[in-house]
């Protein structure tokens, strides 16, 4: 029988996931289909019960349901529990199990650019939901020196105090981050600043950036944000949000099917979809 997968969100119409996953089902000759479900927050519990009743095989979860869906699932993976958000649901013999592949997707995407993280100094900009997933995952993976810069420093303090994995972290405000930028090998931009249509904004000046540094922005629209453009001007390398998006989807696909898919192809599919938009 054909298997059914989907993404739930509000809004969800512009999600790139259906095209990306349906392309993979076709590529690997899997008899399955993936659709977008527009679910309002008040309907989430009923929707999850319905998914269970009809035997849906798996879900991607996006804004605003990543936290609230947790109370309606049968089991939560420990990393997703620590992060406090689920972006992936797997139907494991009738039990709905929640995982988080956002942070691990980021880590897999950046590994290509940074083969060894030993002694690397990392600066995370932002302290919202996206930063939390990445911070906890990097710490769980054994990365030791991860500082956090945020406009509102108590939010960064909160992440540092709540992360269950060992690491050394300093909290900075955005001005301090600008001043101390030369210290860092990897800068991870996780805020929405610079995202379309706010393309002329950047959270910090990169005047003091080391030319050997790598600046990675989790934004993919535009494909090159202002902070990336300025980092390139300083001679640094950059990465946009496409690898993270493709890898979080690849890790979902692997959980659902056991196949780790063709990541280059996934990135091309995403780029093609973004090509139609104003970047
Ligand atoms: P997400 O889930 O995408 O991470 P979020 O939880 O709303 O979204 O977090 C947004 C992040 O962007 C936060 O770090 C936020 O900073 P504050 O914690 O100080 O609010 C940051 N951010 C958003 N708009 C900003 C702005 N204009 N200037 C500086 N930081 C901003």
């Amino acid at each position: 029988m054909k298997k059914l997968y989907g993404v739930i969100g509000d809004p969800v119409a512009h999600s790139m996931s259906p095209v990306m996953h349906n392309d993979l089902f076709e590529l690997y000759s899997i008899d399955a289909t993936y659709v977008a479900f527009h679910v309002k927050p008040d309907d989430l519990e009923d929707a999850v019960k319905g998914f269970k009743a009809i035997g849906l095989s798996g879900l991607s979860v996006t804004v605003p349901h990543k936290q609230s869906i947790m109370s309606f699932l049968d089991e939560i993976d420990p990393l997703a529990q620590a992060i406090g958000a689920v972006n992936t649901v797997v139907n494991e013999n009738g039990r709905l199990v929640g995982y988080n592949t956002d942070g691990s997707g980021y880590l897999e995407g950046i590994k290509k650019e940074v083969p060894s993280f030993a002694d690397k100094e990392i600066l995370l900009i932002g302290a919202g939901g996206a930063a939390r997933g990445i911070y906890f995952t990097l710490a769980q993976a054994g990365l030791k020196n991860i500082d956090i810069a945020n406009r509102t420093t108590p939010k960064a303090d909160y992440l540092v105090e709540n992360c269950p994995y060992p690491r050394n972290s300093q909290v900075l405000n955005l001005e301090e981050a600008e001043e101390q930028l030369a210290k860092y090998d990897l800068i991870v931009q996780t805020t929405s600043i610079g995202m379309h249509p706010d393309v002329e904004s950047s959270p910090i000046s990169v005047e003091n950036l080391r030319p050997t540094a790598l600046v990675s922005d989790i934004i993919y629209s535009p494909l090159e944000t202002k902070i990336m453009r300025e980092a390139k001007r300083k001679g640094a390398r950059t990465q946009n949000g496409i690898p993270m998006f493709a890898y979080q989807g690849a890790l979902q696909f692997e959980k659902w099917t056991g196949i780790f898919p063709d990541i280059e192809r996934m990135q091309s599919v995403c780029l093609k979809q973004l090509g139609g938009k104003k970047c």
Side-chain angles (χ1 to χ4, degrees):
M1 204 168 74
K2 190 185 268 296
K3 290 185 168 174
L4 180 63
Y5 295 85
V7 52
I8 52 165
D10 176 28
V12 77
H14 295 293
S15 170
M16 294 196 287
S17 296
V19 174
M20 189 170 80
H21 285 294
N22 282 321
D23 174 71
L24 294 175
F25 287 139
E26 198 180 322
L27 179 69
Y28 296 107
S29 303
I30 295 170
D31 187 20
T33 195
Y34 183 111
V35 294
F37 297 110
H38 185 187
V39 176
K40 297 270 184 204
D42 283 351
D43 296 326
L44 183 64
E45 185 171 7
D46 287 346
V48 175
K49 278 186 187 158
F51 291 146
K52 203 170 170 176
I54 62 173
L56 187 100
S57 297
L59 271 181
S60 307
V61 185
T62 188
V63 178
H65 304 312
K66 289 187 184 189
Q67 289 91 27
S68 42
I69 199 169
M70 294 176 74
S71 49
F72 307 128
L73 301 176
D74 297 306
E75 191 182 330
I76 312 281
D77 157 82
L79 176 62
Q81 190 76 57
I83 292 169
V86 157
N87 79 325
T88 309
V89 177
V90 185
N91 187 334
E92 298 179 4
N93 302 315
R95 302 185 77 244
L96 298 183
V97 185
Y99 297 90
N100 191 310
T101 69
D102 284 327
S104 37
Y106 174 77
L107 181 59
E108 289 308 312
I110 204 70
K111 269 184 188 166
K112 275 193 171 170
E113 299 289 334
V114 187
S116 164
F117 279 101
D119 303 323
K120 290 278 187 285
E121 296 283 344
I122 302 167
L123 177 69
L124 207 59
I125 304 173
R132 187 178 170 102
I134 292 172
Y135 181 59
F136 282 27
T137 307
L138 295 183
Q140 193 215 28
L143 276 61
K144 287 284 166 283
N145 305 312
I146 319 168
D147 292 347
I148 307 182
N150 200 41
R151 173 179 61 179
T152 316
T153 51
K155 276 170 117 177
D157 288 329
Y158 182 78
L159 287 196
V160 171
E161 284 157 18
N162 282 275
C163 180
Y165 311 106
R167 81 256 95 99
N168 307 307
S169 290
Q170 218 191 316
V171 167
L172 311 168
N173 62 36
L174 298 176
E175 293 71 35
E176 289 166 336
E178 287 179 349
E179 284 160 21
Q180 297 179 32
L181 207 60
K183 175 179 164 194
Y184 299 100
D185 303 292
L186 171 63
I187 289 120
V188 191
Q189 199 303 107
T190 73
T191 76
S192 51
I193 306 171
M195 192 188 291
H196 187 77
D198 185 25
V199 297
E200 284 311 320
S201 301
S202 170
I204 59 166
S205 148
V206 293
E207 195 49 41
N208 296 326
L209 186 70
R210 225 192 261 175
T212 51
L214 170 63
V215 174
S216 94
D217 197 323
I218 68 166
I219 292 172
Y220 49 73
S221 177
L223 291 171
E224 186 173 84
T225 55
K226 184 173 183 195
I227 194 171
M228 288 169 61
R229 211 161 56 231
E230 295 190 335
K232 267 188 186 166
R233 227 176 272 145
K234 299 292 291 181
R237 283 179 303 146
T238 61
Q239 186 184 69
N240 64 22
I242 294 282
M244 176 178 173
F245 183 76
Y247 272 102
Q248 64 77 33
L251 294 167
Q252 295 185 322
F253 192 83
E254 186 181 36
K255 287 197 183 300
W256 295 331
T257 65
I259 299 168
F260 188 84
D262 181 342
I263 194 77
E264 300 297 332
R265 181 182 174 107
M266 293 177 78
Q267 297 197 42
S268 311
V269 168
C270 293
L271 278 173
K272 209 167 150 194
Q273 290 191 75
L274 286 167
K277 291 184 190 166
K278 204 169 166 216
C279 291

